[in-house]
Amino acid sequence: MPINVNNPEADALTRKFAQMAGVTITEAIVIAMKEAIAARRNAETPQQTAARLREKYGVALSPQAKTPLPQEAFDEMWGDR
């Protein structure tokens, strides 16, 4: 199925990547999409990001911070009292 790109920036980026990689425009799109999908799959989760930042800045979670909030807290936030 053909892809029709009507965005000048997308066209320019694709052509530049194809030229840099020494591949056709179609191959450039396939390579770029595979790399983008792999990068998203390998991205850290929000919990991993938080843990990395806590470690970087020396922030420790107290036992209280690890305790889940009671249902009433969520009900109050959403006005479900």
Side-chain angles (χ1 to χ4, degrees), residues 43-50:
E44 61 188 13
T45 66
Q47 287 178 328
Q48 291 169 327
T49 302

Side-chain angles (χ1 to χ4, degrees):
M1 172 175 265
I3 295 175
N4 185 12
V5 177
N6 293 318
N7 180 299
E9 183 181 18
D11 181 70
L13 289 169
T14 303
R15 290 179 187 282
K16 183 176 182 177
F17 180 75
Q19 191 263 335
M20 289 173 63
V23 297
T24 67
I25 291 173
T26 300
E27 291 169 325
I29 292 170
V30 171
I31 292 167
M33 291 299 92
K34 285 181 177 180
E35 289 177 359
I37 290 167
R40 296 234 174 165
R41 280 195 182 130
N42 297 328
E44 61 188 13
T45 66
Q47 287 178 328
Q48 291 169 327
T49 302
R52 179 176 52 78
L53 292 173
R54 281 193 308 271
E55 183 176 338
K56 178 179 179 178
Y57 293 104
V59 176
L61 288 180
S62 67
Q64 182 181 7
K66 295 179 183 181
T67 304
L69 293 172
Q71 183 62 44
E72 295 81 29
F74 294 99
D75 292 344
E76 185 175 329
M77 282 192 292
W78 290 102
D80 294 340
R81 292 202 237 175

